[in-house]
Amino acid sequence: DDEVQVRQKMVAVDPQEEADFDRELRSIMQESLESRKLEIRARPTLNMMIPMNVFEGSTRDHHGRSVEGESGDETMDEEGGGGNNKDILVKVLVKRGNKQQTKQMFIPKGCSLVQSTKQKEAAELEE
Amino acid sequence: EETGEDENYEYGKGDFTEHACRYCGVQNPACVVRCNVPSCRKWFCNSRGNTSGSHIVNHLVRAKHKEVCLHKDSPLGETILECYNCGCRNVFLLGFISAKTESVVVLLCREPCLSVNALKDMNWDLSQWCPLIDDRCFLQWLVKIPSEQEQLRARQISAQQINKVEELWKTNPDATLEDLEKPGVDDEPQPVALKYEDAYQYQNVFAPLVKLEADYDKMMKESQSKDNVTIRWDIGLNKKRIAYFVFPKEDNELRLVPGDELRLRYSGDATHPAWQSVGHVIKLTAQEEVALELRASQGVPVDVNHGFSVDFVWKSTSFDRMQGAMKTFAVDETSVSGYIYHHLLGHEVEAQVVRNTLPRRFGAPGLPELNASQVFAVKSVLQKPISLIQGPPGTGKTVTSAAIVYHMAKQGQGQVLVCAPSNVAVDQLAEKISATGLKVVRLCAKSREAVSSPVEHLTLHYQVQHLDTSEKSELHKLQQLKDEQGELSSSDEKKYKALKRATEREISQSADVICCTCVGAGDPRLANFRFRQVLIDESTQATEPECLIPLVLGVKQVVLVGDHCQLGPVIMCKKAARAGLAQSLFERLVLLGVKPFRLQVQYRMHPSLSEFPSNSFYEGTLQNGVTINERQSSGIDFPWPVPNRPMFFYVQMGQEEISASGTSYLNRTEAANVEKIVTTFLRSGVVPSQIGVITPYEGQRAYIVNYMSRNGALRQQLYKEIEVASVDSFQGREKDYIILSCVRSNEHQGIGFLNDPRRLNVALTRARYGIVILGNPKVLSKQPLWNSLLTHYKEHECLVEGPLNNLKQSMVQFQKPKKIYN
Ligand SMILES: [Zn+2]
Ligand SMILES: [Zn+2]
Ligand SMILES: [Zn+2]
């Protein structure tokens, strides 16, 4: 009930500052890429398997609460529970040490990540 | 130690979270990430604020740090962001990919993992790699952007400040933004402003001023040690030892007030070991004696009376609470409502109406009927989140405030908090509010619990002592034991404290209204209380940080009562005063365009006495609620020059002198004439308690007191009962007859204290029946306001000279007023 309308003054970002910041950002990106390209010996072995339990019943969310999993053949879950209608629940795979963990998170429907999957699903369905 | 609880309490501490953005203070766990570089580990949020990149991206770029960790309460929990395949943690290389068929995503680094050929054959869609940092901020669905509200209430940091603080962190990783603005030792502090970007900037301006005042206060009080003090010993009703002694003071020194802590020392002699004890001032007697209740009764050298020393024990409590309130205001967004937050900082806010059902009658039970301007004020205030009420002298501020509090309490929004800077004002208000039938708790500082109060039955400590239930008998038993033995065993002490705290809490929670001083609102006993509605009386006598203490307990509706045409807060440190610490919040809000509701009918002064103040200070709006007849002093035979005008300016040509101490002024002929006037009043049937003598100088005050008791024509005791004090100590009070002795009579020097129009207003508006002013018109007329006062008296044939029994109009010439005169 604490709605407040503040007449905001427009804050213009200083173009000089913006340009300066962009230059630094690009340089840190570039430097990051270069340093990795040079580490040829560090070619990683692939370890990208999706663990089976992701497809199975329940997973644990970050609060340790049990989250009801989706049945295996269901595709993208159009969720209304935690996010809003524009959000989609995805599973995020992370590693803690060598252990794989699955966490759940909402991402917007418009995000390219899920759009492409959707398109593919649609394409696959047509076949 | 009784005060132990309070001293261990850190003000504003509970509100700090480690994970607040180090740039802007946003602390929503979903919006912040921690820089994972071991030497850094600072938290930043994902909002851009006034910069081109989000705060976290800004930090990573400027500090050249590349790893981050999510907050444990964020959607993914405490997670270091790294490549699912190779474990690379460079956020500038990371992005999400999703599985081709499943709703599964992972982080993958752009180089080399994304370009490893073998990956292409797997179940992952590499074509839609989605970088973690996009458009100079983190993916919003991973690290949320703080809401607009959150951003508006955060610190408004600029790109320049970011660059500066990043630079500072390279040599001092713990530096804060405040460190950027710290002035050097000899610099003038930054002056107060009308508007502030955010509460951090507000804190940056006020914190150094409060610090300056605190340092000055400490220095002054600790230098007030007095040797060769003579003690008169006594025992109080609570069996505690009390020392009575005279503690002389000078003009520029603070007056002792009840509750102050002093240390009494005796260096020892052949038959007595050295001894010292701390105690609280419990009263100041009419004979100018200090009564000090000692904390320890054992080993007191009561058979000695001479050769004691007294030191002031300085306490930082009030200043700590101001600093704490400012911190809370900045970092805790629930401390005040959004509307009040932006309004106090001078941001332009759309007007808000408080939707409450208004009462049918605006008066309250147990209070006098309200007049039209009072009703208007009560009604308007109830509908506004922030309002100011200006109460000129004698216009019923307290009754109006009590009526407002009554209606607020009846709205069922929880307890109402009522504050004022002075204990006297809090007591008056508590009494009036209690008269309406509301349950009132008056919370006193622990150091003042032994100080007698007119509303003792309302005080928390009294109610704790007199609560009559079985579980309390345990508390009473322990209390008795403690009083008798002076201390308890540690287990009993623990039990006693817990019981006492629980009882205090229970009583406080059951009250409709809590009354305390502004500083008292920072009492740890109120730490877990929330107050949506707060009224501050005498708010024009409080500094802004002082006023903030009662506000940061969750206020949504605030009423500031005061009068910016009377005296403001007393600031001892000139540097802090020059920078604007003496300007009250009330005054700043007036300057920001908040129009105070002015109470317009005065019930104190004889209409002749209110005329000049009304015209000079209130644009002529002050109306008289009393008639000439009601202020006719029947049976009093006093030689007023104009019978229906109980006022005159008594022309004095006596020279002023520097007082013996060398720090004050006195004027002997003026003092002698004060005695003559007092004697004439007393002879005509006025009693001592009806008379007040006001003089701005301590030298003159001491001289008048002394002179009257030695040379007064009547019984000595009569003169001793007459209050002689400074203008400041008469503020908020009234007397039937006022004698104002101006003292300064030197053509080449200023008129000092009397130069402040607000002080003159207070001096002129204390009297109900009559006023006599003594001074030198030749000197005073140089100041424009005094010039017009003198002209006013002259026009009404009240500017007189000669002996009291044969006053005649004075023909003394005025000087032309100077524009600026000091
Ligand atoms: Zn860092
Ligand atoms: Zn931030
Ligand atoms: Zn990788």
Side-chain angles (χ1 to χ4, degrees):
Chain A
D1 58 334
D2 188 15
E3 277 299 308
V4 52
Q5 245 70 58
V6 182
R7 266 164 256 160
Q8 218 182 337
K9 49 176 191 212
M10 284 300 292
V11 200
V13 176
D14 176 9
Q16 186 110 45
E17 187 272 325
E18 192 168 13
D20 176 56
F21 182 77
D22 264 344
R23 197 168 49 243
E24 289 226 23
L25 178 61
R26 266 201 312 275
S27 99
I28 202 169
M29 290 278 217
Q30 201 58 38
E31 173 209 281
S32 299
L33 277 175
E34 304 286 314
S35 72
R36 299 288 284 182
K37 277 181 183 159
L38 290 175
E39 292 177 41
I40 301 182
R41 287 198 320 128
R43 280 282 123 149
T45 50
L46 277 180
N47 183 16
M48 288 286 289
M49 299 308 292
I50 301 176
M52 283 313 286
N53 67 353
V54 172
F55 307 110
E56 284 159 11
S58 70
T59 57
R60 297 207 157 253
D61 72 0
H62 63 279
H63 295 298
R65 286 188 308 249
S66 183
V67 172
E68 203 57 47
E70 307 82 347
S71 60
D73 45 14
E74 243 175 344
T75 50
M76 288 299 187
D77 182 26
E78 313 236 340
E79 179 60 36
N84 58 46
N85 285 336
K86 290 184 195 124
D87 291 343
I88 286 171
L89 189 69
V90 295
K91 291 176 182 142
V92 186
L93 280 184
V94 292
K95 277 184 192 153
R96 195 158 272 175
N98 271 330
K99 263 186 71 185
Q100 285 151 334
Q101 274 188 315
T102 316
K103 305 200 174 179
Q104 302 204 353
M105 183 170 66
F106 288 96
I107 65 176
K109 230 187 248 178
C111 174
S112 63
L113 259 186
V114 292
Q115 280 223 309
S116 65
T117 321
K118 288 216 139 233
Q119 282 159 11
K120 291 217 179 70
E121 274 162 29
E124 273 160 24
L125 270 176
E126 251 164 60
E127 272 171 27
Chain B
E1 276 240 354
E2 265 200 294
T3 47
E5 267 171 74
D6 205 316
E7 279 157 6
N8 293 333
Y9 187 79
E10 269 183 64
Y11 302 97
K13 185 186 169 238
D15 308 299
F16 296 107
T17 43
E18 192 209 0
H19 66 259
C21 173
R22 287 292 288 265
Y23 288 163
C24 75
V26 158
Q27 45 187 297
N28 180 348
C31 303
V32 293
V33 296
R34 192 186 71 199
C35 174
N36 202 42
V37 171
S39 60
C40 181
R41 300 265 161 148
K42 295 182 178 69
W43 292 87
F44 297 92
C45 79
N46 201 23
S47 81
R48 286 175 205 270
N50 310 329
T51 51
S52 43
S54 81
H55 288 164
I56 177 62
V57 175
N58 246 297
H59 166 68
L60 297 171
V61 168
R62 296 296 183 190
K64 303 219 180 327
H65 292 169
K66 294 166 191 166
E67 297 182 12
V68 303
C69 179
L70 301 179
H71 190 271
K72 67 174 165 39
D73 296 330
S74 73
L76 289 187
E78 188 169 0
T79 307
I80 296 173
L81 299 182
E82 59 181 34
C83 173
Y84 186 71
N85 188 48
C86 76
C88 160
R89 291 177 174 180
N90 184 333
V91 291
F92 295 100
L93 291 174
L94 294 175
F96 280 103
I97 54 167
S98 67
K100 279 178 181 151
T101 55
E102 298 304 326
S103 53
V104 174
V105 301
V106 294
L107 272 173
L108 195 71
C109 74
R110 193 169 146 194
E111 193 64 45
C113 297
L114 191 62
S115 53
V116 170
N117 271 326
L119 248 180
K120 292 191 178 123
D121 309 328
M122 296 182 66
N123 202 24
W124 298 97
D125 181 6
L126 303 181
S127 65
Q128 294 297 334
W129 184 78
C130 176
L132 194 58
I133 295 174
D134 187 25
D135 190 21
R136 296 171 239 156
C137 79
F138 271 61
L139 286 172
Q140 298 178 27
W141 43 266
L142 182 67
V143 186
K144 293 221 158 41
I145 295 188
S147 70
E148 206 174 309
Q149 294 261 343
E150 280 172 307
Q151 289 194 43
L152 276 172
R153 278 187 84 157
R155 186 205 315 262
Q156 309 296 307
I157 189 173
S158 68
Q160 285 81 356
Q161 282 174 302
I162 287 179
N163 293 345
K164 266 200 216 161
V165 78
E166 286 289 353
E167 207 49 46
L168 201 55
W169 281 335
K170 283 176 187 159
T171 51
N172 175 12
D174 296 323
T176 63
L177 277 157
E178 284 73 35
D179 294 333
L180 287 181
E181 331 229 337
K182 271 194 187 140
V185 186
D186 295 323
D187 290 353
E188 280 293 315
Q190 206 184 335
V192 302
L194 189 57
K195 302 175 178 189
Y196 298 87
E197 283 286 311
D198 52 47
Y200 293 92
Q201 193 200 1
Y202 183 88
Q203 191 190 354
N204 282 346
V205 169
F206 277 102
L209 302 184
V210 171
K211 173 88 170 40
L212 276 174
E213 179 70 4
D215 292 346
Y216 191 89
D217 192 55
K218 182 171 197 286
M219 188 265 291
M220 261 211 0
K221 285 187 169 156
E222 291 186 342
S223 67
Q224 274 191 51
S225 290
K226 297 273 181 329
D227 293 324
N228 292 319
V229 176
T230 298
I231 307 285
R232 185 162 67 78
W233 297 105
D234 199 0
I235 288 185
L237 289 174
N238 56 1
K239 298 182 196 114
K240 290 201 174 164
R241 186 56 70 178
I242 298 176
Y244 285 92
F245 54 89
V246 178
F247 197 68
K249 62 181 168 81
E250 307 296 336
D251 271 343
N252 53 351
E253 286 177 348
L254 282 178
R255 281 174 304 138
L256 281 180
V257 292
D260 279 349
E261 204 170 308
L262 300 177
R263 183 184 302 108
L264 198 57
R265 284 186 286 128
Y266 185 64
S267 54
D269 56 42
T271 50
H272 299 87
W275 166 89
Q276 66 172 38
S277 175
V278 173
H280 287 119
V281 175
I282 54 170
K283 69 177 173 204
L284 301 157
T285 69
Q287 287 73 43
E288 320 232 321
E289 268 186 325
V290 178
L292 187 73
E293 184 187 274
L294 297 182
R295 204 172 281 165
S297 316
Q298 259 89 53
V300 182
V302 287
D303 52 333
V304 186
N305 297 96
H306 301 285
F308 285 84
S309 299
V310 179
D311 317 309
F312 205 98
V313 180
W314 186 76
K315 286 274 158 105
S316 65
T317 314
S318 55
F319 301 103
D320 291 346
R321 289 181 184 176
M322 294 181 208
Q323 301 282 15
M326 287 190 282
K327 273 182 204 162
T328 305
F329 183 48
V331 305
D332 177 3
E333 59 184 43
T334 65
S335 60
V336 304
S337 75
Y339 181 85
I340 289 178
Y341 175 88
H342 291 294
H343 210 127
L344 293 186
L345 294 172
H347 302 168
E348 285 203 33
V349 198
E350 295 292 342
Q352 220 179 38
V353 177
V354 175
R355 263 176 277 281
N356 277 324
T357 38
L358 288 175
R360 225 176 280 150
R361 287 185 59 249
F362 291 96
L367 298 178
E369 278 301 316
L370 302 183
N371 66 40
S373 64
Q374 291 171 331
V375 166
F376 182 70
V378 175
K379 184 179 174 181
S380 314
V381 156
L382 288 174
Q383 301 175 79
K384 295 179 67 167
I386 293 191
S387 32
L388 306 177
I389 295 181
Q390 185 187 9
T395 51
K397 242 165 11 108
T398 312
V399 168
T400 310
S401 299
I404 291 166
V405 172
Y406 174 80
H407 292 299
M408 282 181 160
K410 292 292 174 194
Q411 286 169 349
Q413 295 203 46
Q415 297 177 290
V416 182
L417 180 61
V418 174
C419 296
S422 78
N423 280 288
V424 177
V426 175
D427 286 346
Q428 282 175 1
L429 204 45
E431 192 169 15
K432 281 273 184 309
I433 296 167
S434 168
T436 68
L438 291 178
K439 256 175 137 181
V440 175
V441 161
R442 162 72 163 105
L443 180 73
C444 293
K446 293 216 163 149
S447 58
R448 285 184 61 95
E449 287 184 356
V451 179
S452 74
S453 151
V455 290
E456 190 178 38
H457 61 290
L458 299 177
T459 61
L460 181 58
H461 55 276
Y462 180 94
Q463 294 191 42
V464 168
Q465 278 162 24
H466 293 80
L467 195 66
D468 225 5
T469 67
S470 58
E471 68 181 282
K472 301 307 170 300
S473 63
E474 173 78 8
L475 177 63
H476 291 165
K477 253 184 254 158
L478 289 168
Q479 178 74 59
Q480 225 169 5
L481 207 63
K482 192 181 163 93
D483 288 346
E484 278 163 15
Q485 303 177 344
E487 58 183 321
L488 294 171
S489 70
S490 69
S491 69
D492 274 354
E493 180 68 27
K494 233 185 196 166
K495 208 190 300 170
Y496 167 75
K497 276 203 169 142
L499 267 173
K500 193 169 166 194
R501 213 170 294 139
T503 313
E504 282 175 345
R505 198 168 167 74
E506 195 180 305
I507 294 171
S508 309
Q509 276 173 335
S510 71
D512 300 312
V513 179
I514 305 267
C515 298
C516 58
T517 59
C518 293
V519 166
D523 192 298
R525 287 171 289 179
L526 291 182
N528 296 314
F529 283 67
R530 304 294 283 172
F531 300 97
R532 293 170 164 216
Q533 297 164 303
V534 178
L535 180 138
I536 305 177
D537 193 8
E538 279 190 354
S539 67
T540 42
Q541 289 179 66
T543 61
E544 279 211 30
E546 193 178 351
C547 242
L548 209 55
I549 303 172
L551 297 186
V552 297
L553 300 170
V555 75
K556 286 175 184 289
Q557 191 174 21
V558 56
V559 183
L560 300 181
V561 185
D563 182 5
H564 51 302
C565 298
Q566 297 183 57
L567 289 170
V570 179
I571 304 300
M572 303 304 292
C573 169
K574 291 221 172 65
K575 227 180 195 183
R578 261 201 311 273
L581 188 59
Q583 175 184 269
S584 66
L585 175 59
F586 187 109
E587 280 175 280
R588 188 165 62 86
L589 289 173
V590 170
L591 294 175
L592 278 169
V594 183
K595 207 169 173 293
F597 300 103
R598 187 185 281 170
L599 306 181
Q600 288 174 328
V601 186
Q602 71 87 14
Y603 298 93
R604 177 183 296 160
M605 295 163 271
H606 183 290
S608 302
L609 305 190
S610 70
E611 191 183 342
F612 182 82
S614 175
N615 290 333
S616 306
F617 306 109
Y618 304 103
E619 298 96 33
T621 59
L622 217 49
Q623 299 154 31
N624 295 305
V626 283
T627 61
I628 292 176
N629 283 338
E630 286 171 282
R631 285 293 175 265
Q632 203 98 56
S633 25
S634 52
I636 304 292
D637 177 30
F638 189 83
W640 300 110
V642 181
N644 265 334
R645 286 191 177 272
M647 57 188 236
F648 65 91
F649 191 105
Y650 198 9
V651 175
Q652 305 289 308
M653 291 302 182
Q655 281 301 300
E656 71 181 30
E657 303 164 39
I658 304 285
S659 73
S661 67
T663 59
S664 192
Y665 298 93
L666 65 91
N667 188 319
R668 289 172 205 259
T669 44
E670 216 173 284
N673 281 325
V674 169
E675 183 273 322
K676 289 201 184 84
I677 295 164
V678 167
T679 303
T680 310
F681 272 130
L682 293 174
R683 281 215 173 104
S684 69
V686 174
V687 296
S689 63
Q690 289 179 281
I691 305 172
V693 179
I694 298 181
T695 179
Y697 296 98
E698 175 52 30
Q700 181 77 345
R701 195 200 63 78
Y703 187 78
I704 290 176
V705 169
N706 216 317
Y707 184 91
M708 287 201 304
S709 66
R710 286 198 190 167
N711 305 296
L714 304 172
R715 265 190 310 126
Q716 223 187 49
Q717 190 54 35
L718 288 173
Y719 296 99
K720 282 190 170 172
E721 287 168 24
I722 288 169
E723 191 171 351
V724 185
S726 67
V727 185
D728 302 52
S729 56
F730 272 105
Q731 171 141 337
R733 303 191 304 131
E734 58 184 28
K735 287 278 179 187
D736 287 349
Y737 298 95
I738 287 287
I739 301 161
L740 172 60
S741 168
C742 298
V743 183
R744 299 306 302 270
S745 191
N746 184 324
E747 299 219 23
H748 308 292
Q749 287 177 41
I751 54 174
F753 280 104
L754 292 171
N755 204 13
D756 181 352
R758 300 188 299 178
R759 189 167 271 114
L760 180 59
N761 183 20
V762 172
L764 294 178
T765 52
R766 298 305 99 193
R768 301 171 74 223
Y769 286 86
I771 187 167
V772 180
I773 306 172
L774 298 91
N776 182 339
K778 280 201 151 165
V779 177
L780 294 168
S781 58
K782 282 193 206 164
Q783 206 263 3
L785 189 57
W786 275 95
N787 193 289
S788 67
L789 178 76
L790 287 160
T791 307
H792 176 81
Y793 273 70
K794 193 179 176 123
E795 280 169 0
H796 289 99
E797 302 179 345
C798 295
L799 183 78
V800 294
E801 58 191 30
L804 260 188
N805 54 16
N806 187 21
L807 293 171
K808 49 180 200 300
Q809 284 196 55
S810 169
M811 291 301 134
V812 64
Q813 291 296 306
F814 299 163
Q815 303 200 33
K816 273 209 185 93
K818 286 183 181 169
K819 267 238 144 66
I820 298 161
Y821 188 72
N822 205 350

